[in-house]
PDB file of all heavy atoms in Angstrom:
ATOM      1  N   ALA A  24     -18.301   9.747 -23.769  1.00 71.00           N
ATOM      2  CA  ALA A  24     -17.734  10.039 -22.448  1.00 71.00           C
ATOM      3  C   ALA A  24     -18.723   9.626 -21.327  1.00 71.00           C
ATOM      4  O   ALA A  24     -18.276   9.115 -20.290  1.00 71.00           O
ATOM      5  CB  ALA A  24     -17.377  11.532 -22.348  1.00 71.00           C
ATOM      6  N   ALA A  25     -19.984   9.873 -21.582  1.00 67.00           N
ATOM      7  CA  ALA A  25     -21.006   9.516 -20.536  1.00 67.00           C
ATOM      8  C   ALA A  25     -21.040   8.053 -20.349  1.00 67.00           C
ATOM      9  O   ALA A  25     -21.130   7.563 -19.193  1.00 67.00           O
ATOM     10  CB  ALA A  25     -22.377  10.089 -20.929  1.00 67.00           C
ATOM     11  N   LYS A  26     -20.995   7.277 -21.497  1.00 70.00           N
ATOM     12  CA  LYS A  26     -21.031   5.807 -21.316  1.00 70.00           C
ATOM     13  C   LYS A  26     -19.775   5.287 -20.574  1.00 70.00           C
ATOM     14  O   LYS A  26     -19.813   4.360 -19.787  1.00 70.00           O
ATOM     15  CB  LYS A  26     -21.117   5.152 -22.687  1.00 70.00           C
ATOM     16  CG  LYS A  26     -22.511   5.390 -23.337  1.00 70.00           C
ATOM     17  CD  LYS A  26     -22.537   4.793 -24.718  1.00 70.00           C
ATOM     18  CE  LYS A  26     -23.905   5.015 -25.346  1.00 70.00           C
ATOM     19  NZ  LYS A  26     -23.954   4.475 -26.782  1.00 70.00           N
ATOM     20  N   SER A  27     -18.620   5.964 -20.869  1.00 70.00           N
ATOM     21  CA  SER A  27     -17.374   5.518 -20.174  1.00 70.00           C
ATOM     22  C   SER A  27     -17.382   5.807 -18.714  1.00 70.00           C
ATOM     23  O   SER A  27     -16.985   4.932 -17.905  1.00 70.00           O
ATOM     24  CB  SER A  27     -16.197   6.277 -20.846  1.00 70.00           C
ATOM     25  OG  SER A  27     -14.949   5.918 -20.201  1.00 70.00           O
ATOM     26  N   VAL A  28     -17.942   6.989 -18.339  1.00 62.00           N
ATOM     27  CA  VAL A  28     -17.969   7.336 -16.959  1.00 62.00           C
ATOM     28  C   VAL A  28     -18.957   6.411 -16.170  1.00 62.00           C
ATOM     29  O   VAL A  28     -18.678   5.915 -15.101  1.00 62.00           O
ATOM     30  CB  VAL A  28     -18.468   8.793 -16.752  1.00 62.00           C
ATOM     31  CG1 VAL A  28     -18.821   9.097 -15.337  1.00 62.00           C
ATOM     32  CG2 VAL A  28     -17.394   9.737 -17.264  1.00 62.00           C
ATOM     33  N   ALA A  29     -20.095   6.032 -16.879  1.00 62.00           N
ATOM     34  CA  ALA A  29     -21.045   5.123 -16.194  1.00 62.00           C
ATOM     35  C   ALA A  29     -20.463   3.774 -15.975  1.00 62.00           C
ATOM     36  O   ALA A  29     -20.603   3.162 -14.922  1.00 62.00           O
ATOM     37  CB  ALA A  29     -22.310   5.061 -17.096  1.00 62.00           C
ATOM     38  N   ALA A  30     -19.730   3.266 -17.012  1.00 61.00           N
ATOM     39  CA  ALA A  30     -19.079   1.959 -16.893  1.00 61.00           C
ATOM     40  C   ALA A  30     -18.040   1.941 -15.740  1.00 61.00           C
ATOM     41  O   ALA A  30     -17.954   1.013 -14.945  1.00 61.00           O
ATOM     42  CB  ALA A  30     -18.483   1.523 -18.229  1.00 61.00           C
ATOM     43  N   LYS A  31     -17.204   3.081 -15.765  1.00 61.00           N
ATOM     44  CA  LYS A  31     -16.137   3.139 -14.803  1.00 61.00           C
ATOM     45  C   LYS A  31     -16.785   3.221 -13.395  1.00 61.00           C
ATOM     46  O   LYS A  31     -16.263   2.638 -12.459  1.00 61.00           O
ATOM     47  CB  LYS A  31     -15.293   4.407 -15.058  1.00 61.00           C
ATOM     48  CG  LYS A  31     -14.185   4.658 -14.061  1.00 61.00           C
ATOM     49  CD  LYS A  31     -13.503   5.889 -14.360  1.00 61.00           C
ATOM     50  CE  LYS A  31     -12.419   6.203 -13.292  1.00 61.00           C
ATOM     51  NZ  LYS A  31     -11.705   7.489 -13.518  1.00 61.00           N
ATOM     52  N   GLY A  32     -17.858   4.056 -13.251  1.00 55.00           N
ATOM     53  CA  GLY A  32     -18.477   4.181 -11.983  1.00 55.00           C
ATOM     54  C   GLY A  32     -19.042   2.876 -11.479  1.00 55.00           C
ATOM     55  O   GLY A  32     -18.940   2.576 -10.314  1.00 55.00           O
ATOM     56  N   ALA A  33     -19.579   2.024 -12.346  1.00 54.00           N
ATOM     57  CA  ALA A  33     -20.096   0.775 -11.949  1.00 54.00           C
ATOM     58  C   ALA A  33     -19.019  -0.112 -11.416  1.00 54.00           C
ATOM     59  O   ALA A  33     -19.157  -0.781 -10.353  1.00 54.00           O
ATOM     60  CB  ALA A  33     -20.845   0.102 -13.117  1.00 54.00           C
ATOM     61  N   ARG A  34     -17.878  -0.120 -12.190  1.00 55.00           N
ATOM     62  CA  ARG A  34     -16.749  -0.913 -11.706  1.00 55.00           C
ATOM     63  C   ARG A  34     -16.209  -0.426 -10.404  1.00 55.00           C
ATOM     64  O   ARG A  34     -15.918  -1.202  -9.475  1.00 55.00           O
ATOM     65  CB  ARG A  34     -15.646  -0.994 -12.776  1.00 55.00           C
ATOM     66  CG  ARG A  34     -16.041  -1.703 -14.042  1.00 55.00           C
ATOM     67  CD  ARG A  34     -14.769  -1.993 -14.890  1.00 55.00           C
ATOM     68  NE  ARG A  34     -14.015  -0.701 -15.177  1.00 55.00           N
ATOM     69  CZ  ARG A  34     -14.317   0.046 -16.253  1.00 55.00           C
ATOM     70  NH1 ARG A  34     -15.309  -0.309 -17.103  1.00 55.00           N
ATOM     71  NH2 ARG A  34     -13.619   1.121 -16.483  1.00 55.00           N
ATOM     72  N   THR A  35     -16.016   0.904 -10.283  1.00 53.00           N
ATOM     73  CA  THR A  35     -15.431   1.487  -9.098  1.00 53.00           C
ATOM     74  C   THR A  35     -16.353   1.286  -7.921  1.00 53.00           C
ATOM     75  O   THR A  35     -15.919   1.075  -6.799  1.00 53.00           O
ATOM     76  CB  THR A  35     -15.192   3.003  -9.269  1.00 53.00           C
ATOM     77  OG1 THR A  35     -14.322   3.179 -10.438  1.00 53.00           O
ATOM     78  CG2 THR A  35     -14.542   3.604  -8.057  1.00 53.00           C
ATOM     79  N   GLY A  36     -17.653   1.412  -8.163  1.00 52.00           N
ATOM     80  CA  GLY A  36     -18.632   1.141  -7.065  1.00 52.00           C
ATOM     81  C   GLY A  36     -18.514  -0.221  -6.480  1.00 52.00           C
ATOM     82  O   GLY A  36     -18.503  -0.398  -5.249  1.00 52.00           O
ATOM     83  N   VAL A  37     -18.393  -1.181  -7.373  1.00 52.00           N
ATOM     84  CA  VAL A  37     -18.234  -2.553  -6.867  1.00 52.00           C
ATOM     85  C   VAL A  37     -16.950  -2.717  -6.112  1.00 52.00           C
ATOM     86  O   VAL A  37     -16.875  -3.292  -5.034  1.00 52.00           O
ATOM     87  CB  VAL A  37     -18.270  -3.590  -8.089  1.00 52.00           C
ATOM     88  CG1 VAL A  37     -17.953  -4.949  -7.592  1.00 52.00           C
ATOM     89  CG2 VAL A  37     -19.646  -3.548  -8.751  1.00 52.00           C
ATOM     90  N   GLU A  38     -15.862  -2.100  -6.653  1.00 55.00           N
ATOM     91  CA  GLU A  38     -14.555  -2.173  -6.009  1.00 55.00           C
ATOM     92  C   GLU A  38     -14.615  -1.442  -4.640  1.00 55.00           C
ATOM     93  O   GLU A  38     -14.057  -1.925  -3.639  1.00 55.00           O
ATOM     94  CB  GLU A  38     -13.525  -1.605  -6.904  1.00 55.00           C
ATOM     95  CG  GLU A  38     -13.265  -2.386  -8.141  1.00 55.00           C
ATOM     96  CD  GLU A  38     -12.299  -1.677  -9.119  1.00 55.00           C
ATOM     97  OE1 GLU A  38     -11.961  -0.534  -8.757  1.00 55.00           O
ATOM     98  OE2 GLU A  38     -11.980  -2.259 -10.162  1.00 55.00           O
ATOM     99  N   THR A  39     -15.283  -0.276  -4.634  1.00 57.00           N
ATOM    100  CA  THR A  39     -15.337   0.522  -3.424  1.00 57.00           C
ATOM    101  C   THR A  39     -16.131  -0.216  -2.300  1.00 57.00           C
ATOM    102  O   THR A  39     -15.604  -0.365  -1.181  1.00 57.00           O
ATOM    103  CB  THR A  39     -16.084   1.867  -3.676  1.00 57.00           C
ATOM    104  OG1 THR A  39     -15.282   2.596  -4.599  1.00 57.00           O
ATOM    105  CG2 THR A  39     -16.150   2.703  -2.369  1.00 57.00           C
ATOM    106  N   TRP A  40     -17.268  -0.716  -2.657  1.00 57.00           N
ATOM    107  CA  TRP A  40     -18.009  -1.498  -1.645  1.00 57.00           C
ATOM    108  C   TRP A  40     -17.283  -2.733  -1.237  1.00 57.00           C
ATOM    109  O   TRP A  40     -17.352  -3.101  -0.005  1.00 57.00           O
ATOM    110  CB  TRP A  40     -19.427  -1.854  -2.211  1.00 57.00           C
ATOM    111  CG  TRP A  40     -20.359  -0.730  -2.165  1.00 57.00           C
ATOM    112  CD1 TRP A  40     -20.936  -0.057  -3.237  1.00 57.00           C
ATOM    113  CD2 TRP A  40     -20.910  -0.073  -1.025  1.00 57.00           C
ATOM    114  NE1 TRP A  40     -21.742   0.939  -2.807  1.00 57.00           N
ATOM    115  CE2 TRP A  40     -21.738   0.975  -1.408  1.00 57.00           C
ATOM    116  CE3 TRP A  40     -20.737  -0.297   0.353  1.00 57.00           C
ATOM    117  CZ2 TRP A  40     -22.455   1.755  -0.536  1.00 57.00           C
ATOM    118  CZ3 TRP A  40     -21.374   0.518   1.223  1.00 57.00           C
ATOM    119  CH2 TRP A  40     -22.249   1.546   0.816  1.00 57.00           C
ATOM    120  N   GLY A  41     -16.641  -3.354  -2.164  1.00 62.00           N
ATOM    121  CA  GLY A  41     -15.873  -4.557  -1.789  1.00 62.00           C
ATOM    122  C   GLY A  41     -14.698  -4.230  -0.831  1.00 62.00           C
ATOM    123  O   GLY A  41     -14.563  -4.897   0.189  1.00 62.00           O
ATOM    124  N   GLY A  42     -14.007  -3.143  -1.130  1.00 62.00           N
ATOM    125  CA  GLY A  42     -12.863  -2.673  -0.241  1.00 62.00           C
ATOM    126  C   GLY A  42     -13.405  -2.246   1.104  1.00 62.00           C
ATOM    127  O   GLY A  42     -12.829  -2.630   2.158  1.00 62.00           O
ATOM    128  N   LEU A  43     -14.475  -1.523   1.100  1.00 61.00           N
ATOM    129  CA  LEU A  43     -15.049  -1.064   2.397  1.00 61.00           C
ATOM    130  C   LEU A  43     -15.573  -2.260   3.201  1.00 61.00           C
ATOM    131  O   LEU A  43     -15.414  -2.287   4.450  1.00 61.00           O
ATOM    132  CB  LEU A  43     -16.184  -0.045   2.154  1.00 61.00           C
ATOM    133  CG  LEU A  43     -15.711   1.315   1.663  1.00 61.00           C
ATOM    134  CD1 LEU A  43     -16.930   2.168   1.299  1.00 61.00           C
ATOM    135  CD2 LEU A  43     -14.926   2.045   2.726  1.00 61.00           C
ATOM    136  N   THR A  44     -16.168  -3.237   2.551  1.00 68.00           N
ATOM    137  CA  THR A  44     -16.677  -4.398   3.246  1.00 68.00           C
ATOM    138  C   THR A  44     -15.519  -5.138   3.877  1.00 68.00           C
ATOM    139  O   THR A  44     -15.527  -5.551   5.051  1.00 68.00           O
ATOM    140  CB  THR A  44     -17.489  -5.351   2.343  1.00 68.00           C
ATOM    141  OG1 THR A  44     -18.560  -4.571   1.754  1.00 68.00           O
ATOM    142  CG2 THR A  44     -17.987  -6.546   3.066  1.00 68.00           C
ATOM    143  N   LEU A  45     -14.401  -5.315   3.104  1.00 69.00           N
ATOM    144  CA  LEU A  45     -13.235  -6.000   3.560  1.00 69.00           C
ATOM    145  C   LEU A  45     -12.649  -5.210   4.721  1.00 69.00           C
ATOM    146  O   LEU A  45     -12.266  -5.854   5.779  1.00 69.00           O
ATOM    147  CB  LEU A  45     -12.231  -6.202   2.462  1.00 69.00           C
ATOM    148  CG  LEU A  45     -10.895  -6.892   2.845  1.00 69.00           C
ATOM    149  CD1 LEU A  45     -11.232  -8.278   3.375  1.00 69.00           C
ATOM    150  CD2 LEU A  45      -9.978  -6.963   1.685  1.00 69.00           C
ATOM    151  N   THR A  46     -12.503  -3.885   4.615  1.00 66.00           N
ATOM    152  CA  THR A  46     -11.974  -3.117   5.681  1.00 66.00           C
ATOM    153  C   THR A  46     -12.824  -3.215   6.969  1.00 66.00           C
ATOM    154  O   THR A  46     -12.273  -3.298   8.075  1.00 66.00           O
ATOM    155  CB  THR A  46     -11.896  -1.591   5.238  1.00 66.00           C
ATOM    156  OG1 THR A  46     -11.114  -1.486   4.074  1.00 66.00           O
ATOM    157  CG2 THR A  46     -11.338  -0.721   6.355  1.00 66.00           C
ATOM    158  N   ALA A  47     -14.125  -3.138   6.809  1.00 64.00           N
ATOM    159  CA  ALA A  47     -15.026  -3.260   7.941  1.00 64.00           C
ATOM    160  C   ALA A  47     -14.796  -4.589   8.672  1.00 64.00           C
ATOM    161  O   ALA A  47     -14.743  -4.636   9.893  1.00 64.00           O
ATOM    162  CB  ALA A  47     -16.453  -3.096   7.540  1.00 64.00           C
ATOM    163  N   ILE A  48     -14.683  -5.657   7.859  1.00 70.00           N
ATOM    164  CA  ILE A  48     -14.491  -6.982   8.507  1.00 70.00           C
ATOM    165  C   ILE A  48     -13.118  -6.998   9.217  1.00 70.00           C
ATOM    166  O   ILE A  48     -13.036  -7.522  10.346  1.00 70.00           O
ATOM    167  CB  ILE A  48     -14.491  -8.061   7.373  1.00 70.00           C
ATOM    168  CG1 ILE A  48     -15.949  -8.201   6.774  1.00 70.00           C
ATOM    169  CG2 ILE A  48     -14.085  -9.420   7.939  1.00 70.00           C
ATOM    170  CD1 ILE A  48     -16.047  -9.082   5.623  1.00 70.00           C
ATOM    171  N   LEU A  49     -12.105  -6.506   8.544  1.00 70.00           N
ATOM    172  CA  LEU A  49     -10.756  -6.530   9.207  1.00 70.00           C
ATOM    173  C   LEU A  49     -10.702  -5.666  10.458  1.00 70.00           C
ATOM    174  O   LEU A  49     -10.178  -6.125  11.516  1.00 70.00           O
ATOM    175  CB  LEU A  49      -9.690  -6.039   8.220  1.00 70.00           C
ATOM    176  CG  LEU A  49      -9.414  -6.953   6.984  1.00 70.00           C
ATOM    177  CD1 LEU A  49      -8.435  -6.335   6.057  1.00 70.00           C
ATOM    178  CD2 LEU A  49      -8.863  -8.301   7.481  1.00 70.00           C
ATOM    179  N   VAL A  50     -11.289  -4.442  10.412  1.00 66.00           N
ATOM    180  CA  VAL A  50     -11.290  -3.566  11.584  1.00 66.00           C
ATOM    181  C   VAL A  50     -12.138  -4.186  12.704  1.00 66.00           C
ATOM    182  O   VAL A  50     -11.645  -4.259  13.846  1.00 66.00           O
ATOM    183  CB  VAL A  50     -11.898  -2.216  11.203  1.00 66.00           C
ATOM    184  CG1 VAL A  50     -12.112  -1.371  12.509  1.00 66.00           C
ATOM    185  CG2 VAL A  50     -10.911  -1.449  10.269  1.00 66.00           C
ATOM    186  N   THR A  51     -13.249  -4.734  12.375  1.00 67.00           N
ATOM    187  CA  THR A  51     -14.090  -5.352  13.437  1.00 67.00           C
ATOM    188  C   THR A  51     -13.392  -6.561  14.055  1.00 67.00           C
ATOM    189  O   THR A  51     -13.297  -6.744  15.267  1.00 67.00           O
ATOM    190  CB  THR A  51     -15.439  -5.813  12.829  1.00 67.00           C
ATOM    191  OG1 THR A  51     -16.083  -4.623  12.289  1.00 67.00           O
ATOM    192  CG2 THR A  51     -16.330  -6.389  13.903  1.00 67.00           C
ATOM    193  N   ALA A  52     -12.896  -7.462  13.147  1.00 71.00           N
ATOM    194  CA  ALA A  52     -12.260  -8.690  13.653  1.00 71.00           C
ATOM    195  C   ALA A  52     -10.996  -8.327  14.469  1.00 71.00           C
ATOM    196  O   ALA A  52     -10.742  -8.919  15.526  1.00 71.00           O
ATOM    197  CB  ALA A  52     -11.901  -9.612  12.461  1.00 71.00           C
ATOM    198  N   GLY A  53     -10.193  -7.379  13.952  1.00 71.00           N
ATOM    199  CA  GLY A  53      -8.991  -6.987  14.601  1.00 71.00           C
ATOM    200  C   GLY A  53      -9.251  -6.339  15.985  1.00 71.00           C
ATOM    201  O   GLY A  53      -8.578  -6.635  16.950  1.00 71.00           O
ATOM    202  N   GLY A  54     -10.238  -5.446  15.968  1.00 66.00           N
ATOM    203  CA  GLY A  54     -10.623  -4.791  17.253  1.00 66.00           C
ATOM    204  C   GLY A  54     -11.135  -5.760  18.292  1.00 66.00           C
ATOM    205  O   GLY A  54     -10.757  -5.751  19.402  1.00 66.00           O
ATOM    206  N   LEU A  55     -11.984  -6.733  17.861  1.00 66.00           N
ATOM    207  CA  LEU A  55     -12.528  -7.681  18.775  1.00 66.00           C
ATOM    208  C   LEU A  55     -11.488  -8.654  19.233  1.00 66.00           C
ATOM    209  O   LEU A  55     -11.444  -9.044  20.376  1.00 66.00           O
ATOM    210  CB  LEU A  55     -13.679  -8.457  18.055  1.00 66.00           C
ATOM    211  CG  LEU A  55     -14.925  -7.589  17.695  1.00 66.00           C
ATOM    212  CD1 LEU A  55     -16.015  -8.471  17.083  1.00 66.00           C
ATOM    213  CD2 LEU A  55     -15.522  -6.932  18.975  1.00 66.00           C
ATOM    214  N   GLY A  56     -10.560  -8.998  18.344  1.00 71.00           N
ATOM    215  CA  GLY A  56      -9.458  -9.888  18.722  1.00 71.00           C
ATOM    216  C   GLY A  56      -8.541  -9.252  19.755  1.00 71.00           C
ATOM    217  O   GLY A  56      -8.139  -9.852  20.718  1.00 71.00           O
ATOM    218  N   LEU A  57      -8.256  -7.959  19.483  1.00 72.00           N
ATOM    219  CA  LEU A  57      -7.364  -7.252  20.434  1.00 72.00           C
ATOM    220  C   LEU A  57      -8.040  -7.053  21.763  1.00 72.00           C
ATOM    221  O   LEU A  57      -7.385  -7.220  22.852  1.00 72.00           O
ATOM    222  CB  LEU A  57      -7.034  -5.873  19.843  1.00 72.00           C
ATOM    223  CG  LEU A  57      -5.981  -5.022  20.589  1.00 72.00           C
ATOM    224  CD1 LEU A  57      -4.651  -5.707  20.589  1.00 72.00           C
ATOM    225  CD2 LEU A  57      -5.833  -3.643  19.947  1.00 72.00           C
ATOM    226  N   TYR A  58      -9.341  -6.798  21.749  1.00 69.00           N
ATOM    227  CA  TYR A  58     -10.015  -6.671  23.056  1.00 69.00           C
ATOM    228  C   TYR A  58     -10.077  -7.967  23.760  1.00 69.00           C
ATOM    229  O   TYR A  58      -9.947  -8.012  25.013  1.00 69.00           O
ATOM    230  CB  TYR A  58     -11.460  -6.110  22.780  1.00 69.00           C
ATOM    231  CG  TYR A  58     -12.266  -6.044  24.054  1.00 69.00           C
ATOM    232  CD1 TYR A  58     -12.009  -5.081  24.976  1.00 69.00           C
ATOM    233  CD2 TYR A  58     -13.271  -6.942  24.305  1.00 69.00           C
ATOM    234  CE1 TYR A  58     -12.788  -4.989  26.160  1.00 69.00           C
ATOM    235  CE2 TYR A  58     -14.049  -6.888  25.442  1.00 69.00           C
ATOM    236  CZ  TYR A  58     -13.767  -5.936  26.402  1.00 69.00           C
ATOM    237  OH  TYR A  58     -14.527  -5.861  27.547  1.00 69.00           O
ATOM    238  N   SER A  59     -10.231  -9.020  23.010  1.00 69.00           N
ATOM    239  CA  SER A  59     -10.326 -10.366  23.656  1.00 69.00           C
ATOM    240  C   SER A  59      -8.960 -10.687  24.309  1.00 69.00           C
ATOM    241  O   SER A  59      -8.905 -11.375  25.393  1.00 69.00           O
ATOM    242  CB  SER A  59     -10.604 -11.467  22.645  1.00 69.00           C
ATOM    243  OG  SER A  59     -11.877 -11.225  22.085  1.00 69.00           O
ATOM    244  N   TYR A  60      -7.854 -10.138  23.757  1.00 67.00           N
ATOM    245  CA  TYR A  60      -6.549 -10.487  24.302  1.00 67.00           C
ATOM    246  C   TYR A  60      -6.199  -9.587  25.477  1.00 67.00           C
ATOM    247  O   TYR A  60      -5.714  -9.969  26.498  1.00 67.00           O
ATOM    248  CB  TYR A  60      -5.453 -10.301  23.165  1.00 67.00           C
ATOM    249  CG  TYR A  60      -4.053 -10.587  23.649  1.00 67.00           C
ATOM    250  CD1 TYR A  60      -3.619 -11.838  23.976  1.00 67.00           C
ATOM    251  CD2 TYR A  60      -3.212  -9.512  23.713  1.00 67.00           C
ATOM    252  CE1 TYR A  60      -2.302 -12.017  24.372  1.00 67.00           C
ATOM    253  CE2 TYR A  60      -1.884  -9.676  24.205  1.00 67.00           C
ATOM    254  CZ  TYR A  60      -1.478 -10.956  24.512  1.00 67.00           C
ATOM    255  OH  TYR A  60      -0.167 -11.167  24.935  1.00 67.00           O
ATOM    256  N   LEU A  61      -6.491  -8.246  25.290  1.00 66.00           N
ATOM    257  CA  LEU A  61      -6.081  -7.278  26.312  1.00 66.00           C
ATOM    258  C   LEU A  61      -7.187  -6.960  27.339  1.00 66.00           C
ATOM    259  O   LEU A  61      -6.910  -6.613  28.470  1.00 66.00           O
ATOM    260  CB  LEU A  61      -5.675  -5.953  25.629  1.00 66.00           C
ATOM    261  CG  LEU A  61      -4.466  -6.000  24.712  1.00 66.00           C
ATOM    262  CD1 LEU A  61      -4.220  -4.597  24.109  1.00 66.00           C
ATOM    263  CD2 LEU A  61      -3.240  -6.411  25.510  1.00 66.00           C
ATOM    264  N   GLY A  62      -8.430  -7.070  26.847  1.00 65.00           N
ATOM    265  CA  GLY A  62      -9.549  -6.772  27.810  1.00 65.00           C
ATOM    266  C   GLY A  62     -10.037  -7.883  28.595  1.00 65.00           C
ATOM    267  O   GLY A  62      -9.379  -8.938  28.733  1.00 65.00           O
ATOM    268  N   LYS A  63     -11.253  -7.710  29.164  1.00 62.00           N
ATOM    269  CA  LYS A  63     -11.893  -8.768  29.981  1.00 62.00           C
ATOM    270  C   LYS A  63     -13.298  -8.951  29.472  1.00 62.00           C
ATOM    271  O   LYS A  63     -14.266  -8.461  30.023  1.00 62.00           O
ATOM    272  CB  LYS A  63     -11.875  -8.361  31.443  1.00 62.00           C
ATOM    273  CG  LYS A  63     -10.444  -8.256  32.048  1.00 62.00           C
ATOM    274  CD  LYS A  63     -10.482  -7.956  33.508  1.00 62.00           C
ATOM    275  CE  LYS A  63      -9.079  -7.900  34.128  1.00 62.00           C
ATOM    276  NZ  LYS A  63      -9.110  -7.527  35.547  1.00 62.00           N
ATOM    277  N   PRO A  64     -13.400  -9.732  28.355  1.00 62.00           N
ATOM    278  CA  PRO A  64     -14.766  -9.962  27.788  1.00 62.00           C
ATOM    279  C   PRO A  64     -15.771 -10.570  28.703  1.00 62.00           C
ATOM    280  O   PRO A  64     -16.972 -10.351  28.620  1.00 62.00           O
ATOM    281  CB  PRO A  64     -14.495 -10.864  26.552  1.00 62.00           C
ATOM    282  CG  PRO A  64     -13.037 -10.660  26.250  1.00 62.00           C
ATOM    283  CD  PRO A  64     -12.385 -10.444  27.577  1.00 62.00           C
ATOM    284  N   GLN A  65     -15.226 -11.380  29.681  1.00 62.00           N
ATOM    285  CA  GLN A  65     -16.125 -12.072  30.565  1.00 62.00           C
ATOM    286  C   GLN A  65     -16.722 -11.205  31.707  1.00 62.00           C
ATOM    287  O   GLN A  65     -17.575 -11.599  32.397  1.00 62.00           O
ATOM    288  CB  GLN A  65     -15.397 -13.396  31.200  1.00 62.00           C
ATOM    289  CG  GLN A  65     -14.293 -13.013  32.211  1.00 62.00           C
ATOM    290  CD  GLN A  65     -13.029 -12.616  31.550  1.00 62.00           C
ATOM    291  OE1 GLN A  65     -12.964 -12.462  30.350  1.00 62.00           O
ATOM    292  NE2 GLN A  65     -11.993 -12.428  32.358  1.00 62.00           N
ATOM    293  N   MET A  66     -16.053 -10.046  31.850  1.00 61.00           N
ATOM    294  CA  MET A  66     -16.509  -9.161  32.951  1.00 61.00           C
ATOM    295  C   MET A  66     -17.762  -8.437  32.555  1.00 61.00           C
ATOM    296  O   MET A  66     -17.976  -7.954  31.461  1.00 61.00           O
ATOM    297  CB  MET A  66     -15.445  -8.156  33.252  1.00 61.00           C
ATOM    298  CG  MET A  66     -15.769  -7.216  34.382  1.00 61.00           C
ATOM    299  SD  MET A  66     -14.413  -6.124  34.867  1.00 61.00           S
ATOM    300  CE  MET A  66     -13.322  -7.325  35.687  1.00 61.00           C
ATOM    301  N   GLY A  67     -18.724  -8.448  33.449  1.00 62.00           N
ATOM    302  CA  GLY A  67     -20.009  -7.793  33.243  1.00 62.00           C
ATOM    303  C   GLY A  67     -19.942  -6.301  33.278  1.00 62.00           C
ATOM    304  O   GLY A  67     -18.898  -5.716  33.620  1.00 62.00           O
ATOM    305  N   ASP A  68     -21.052  -5.617  32.970  1.00 61.00           N
ATOM    306  CA  ASP A  68     -21.123  -4.180  33.050  1.00 61.00           C
ATOM    307  C   ASP A  68     -20.878  -3.688  34.500  1.00 61.00           C
ATOM    308  O   ASP A  68     -21.331  -4.393  35.431  1.00 61.00           O
ATOM    309  CB  ASP A  68     -22.442  -3.686  32.543  1.00 61.00           C
ATOM    310  CG  ASP A  68     -22.595  -3.916  31.034  1.00 61.00           C
ATOM    311  OD1 ASP A  68     -21.550  -4.094  30.353  1.00 61.00           O
ATOM    312  OD2 ASP A  68     -23.767  -3.958  30.560  1.00 61.00           O
ATOM    313  N   MET A  69     -20.286  -2.569  34.648  1.00 58.00           N
ATOM    314  CA  MET A  69     -20.103  -2.006  36.008  1.00 58.00           C
ATOM    315  C   MET A  69     -20.603  -0.579  36.010  1.00 58.00           C
ATOM    316  O   MET A  69     -19.813   0.412  35.958  1.00 58.00           O
ATOM    317  CB  MET A  69     -18.618  -1.999  36.374  1.00 58.00           C
ATOM    318  CG  MET A  69     -18.090  -3.403  36.763  1.00 58.00           C
ATOM    319  SD  MET A  69     -18.775  -3.977  38.342  1.00 58.00           S
ATOM    320  CE  MET A  69     -17.904  -2.889  39.478  1.00 58.00           C
TER     321      MET A  69
END
């Protein structure tokens, strides 16, 4: 059982990090894209 849990954890860890990395990329890209469309990126700080 210990060996099975370790193997499963290794696979899940890879999947988890991969999913989180993909999510972070999508959220960042989506947020920046939406801001570029709706916001004013060229405007300086006020």
Side-chain angles (χ1 to χ4, degrees):
K26 292 178 179 178
S27 176
V28 168
K31 178 183 176 182
R34 290 194 305 272
T35 305
V37 172
E38 293 170 357
T39 299
W40 281 114
L43 288 171
T44 302
L45 179 60
T46 300
I48 293 173
L49 290 176
V50 169
T51 302
L55 296 180
L57 187 63
Y58 176 73
S59 298
Y60 178 71
L61 297 177
K63 295 183 178 179
Q65 71 279 7
M66 181 174 288
D68 293 339
M69 284 291 289

